[in-house]
Amino acid sequence: MISKEQFNKELDLIITNAIREDIGDGDHTSLSCIPADATGKAKLLVKDEGVIAGVEFAKMVFKYVDADLEVETLINDGETVKYGDVVFYVSGKSQSILMAERLVLNAMQRMSAIATKTKFFADLLEGTKTKVLDTRKTTPGIRALEKWAVKIGGGENHRFALYDMVMIKDNHIDFAGGITQAITKTKKYLAEKGLDIKIIVEARNLEEIKEILSNEGVYRILIDNFNYEDTRKAVELIGNTCLTESSGGINEKTIRKYAECGVDFISSGALTHSVYNLDLSLKAID
């Protein structure tokens, strides 16, 4: 994953672009019917059940829109919520609250859905050593939010993007002329560029596992679309040489069985690409 500093820059970019997209040259509805000096208070109301995520992001949005807005937090990121719960109160200029409302809700509904699904998967792995990983199968433009939500839900982050980790997959291997050629070329490139980033290599069968192991410098082997028996064999072959990751169509019915094969990680695109937003609303308080 990227550094905390770079991650925060990504969040700043998300907020800046989202506010630009949503407000443009002004929230003319609020500007036209609510006095500039009017103040008010609103609550973040839960109309669903799951794991709440995005509270800290919401605070960032409110601060960006109006530094004088005040947030009183009742429920923190990662806590379980139910219908009727109030997550926080926000108070200050009414126009400012309304300008921030849609971004806060869009982000928190999406993040909470991801955190809820991630916790569900993480709970299925309880008692094993296996951790659930996200992927790059995220919504364009808000990857930082979705990966943040995975962490809140108890999962782990895979690489953030193409630049912070090398992942040699089947197409790379085929275009490079083979596994050993791909690894050799990669290590040479990283040395020439002075890049200190980890290398993951995908294996499609046990013979490819053996060839990967004949090369040094591999951080993790991606055991892709293996059945249970071959996954166990792959883990045995790899031993402590490097870390292991299973992937490929693994779902809530199969994730536990793959974990019991002994892999260190299981990656799932479903954490971010197959979720339904948690129902939340921001309601003005009289």
Side-chain angles (χ1 to χ4, degrees), residues 159-175:
R159 60 177 176 166
F160 187 83
L162 293 172
Y163 58 80
D164 63 313
M165 184 178 284
V166 167
M167 193 165 175
I168 304 173
K169 301 189 74 175
D170 52 357
N171 284 337
H172 301 99
I173 290 167
D174 292 340
F175 283 138

Side-chain angles (χ1 to χ4, degrees), residues 110 114 134-135 137-139 146 150 268-275:
R110 181 76 180 169
I114 291 169
D134 54 26
T135 69
K137 296 176 182 178
T138 54
T139 307
E146 296 190 342
V150 168
S268 173
L271 298 182
T272 52
H273 71 53
S274 298
V275 295

Side-chain angles (χ1 to χ4, degrees), residues 16 21 27 48 53 70 90 93 115 136 142 172 181 185 193 200 241 260 282:
T16 301
E21 178 183 61
D27 173 10
D48 211 332
E70 296 183 359
V90 57
K93 288 185 178 179
R136 284 170 47 242
I142 60 167
H172 301 99
Q181 293 92 324
K185 291 173 183 177
K193 296 291 184 180
I200 297 177
T241 304
E260 289 171 348
L282 195 66

Side-chain angles (χ1 to χ4, degrees), residues 36-207:
D37 60 352
T39 60
K41 187 174 184 179
K43 61 183 178 182
L44 194 288
L45 181 65
V46 179
K47 301 166 72 176
D48 211 332
E49 58 181 37
V51 176
I52 201 71
V55 176
E56 293 304 312
F57 180 72
K59 292 178 184 178
M60 295 173 65
V61 174
F62 288 130
K63 184 177 180 181
Y64 179 92
V65 170
D66 183 346
D68 291 329
L69 289 176
E70 296 183 359
V71 179
E72 178 190 354
T73 305
L74 305 180
I75 300 175
N76 294 304
D77 283 329
E79 294 187 38
T80 300
V81 292
K82 64 183 185 303
Y83 191 99
D85 283 344
V86 174
V87 178
F88 61 70
Y89 295 104
V90 57
S91 56
K93 288 185 178 179
S94 300
Q95 287 185 358
S96 298
I97 294 172
L98 291 168
M99 283 192 288
E101 176 185 10
R102 181 43 53 195
L103 175 53
V104 166
L105 286 174
N106 286 355
M108 289 194 66
Q109 287 175 325
R110 181 76 180 169
M111 290 179 72
S112 297
I114 291 169
T116 299
K117 185 154 194 170
T118 302
K119 185 179 187 303
F120 174 65
F121 273 43
D123 286 348
L124 291 174
L125 298 176
E126 190 173 351
T128 73
K129 72 170 186 175
T130 309
K131 304 292 184 182
V132 64
L133 288 171
D134 54 26
T135 69
R136 284 170 47 242
K137 296 176 182 178
T138 54
T139 307
I142 60 167
R143 179 172 293 171
L145 294 186
E146 296 190 342
K147 283 184 170 285
W148 189 359
V150 168
K151 289 287 287 184
I152 290 171
E156 297 292 332
N157 293 143
H158 211 302
R159 60 177 176 166
F160 187 83
L162 293 172
Y163 58 80
D164 63 313
M165 184 178 284
V166 167
M167 193 165 175
I168 304 173
K169 301 189 74 175
D170 52 357
N171 284 337
H172 301 99
I173 290 167
D174 292 340
F175 283 138
I179 289 172
T180 298
Q181 293 92 324
I183 295 172
T184 301
K185 291 173 183 177
T186 296
K187 289 162 65 176
K188 183 175 183 291
Y189 170 86
L190 295 178
E192 290 173 348
K193 296 291 184 180
L195 295 171
D196 182 20
I197 56 178
K198 294 179 172 66
I199 300 172
I200 297 177
V201 184
E202 179 184 296
R204 291 168 284 193
N205 53 58
L206 291 170
E207 288 306 309

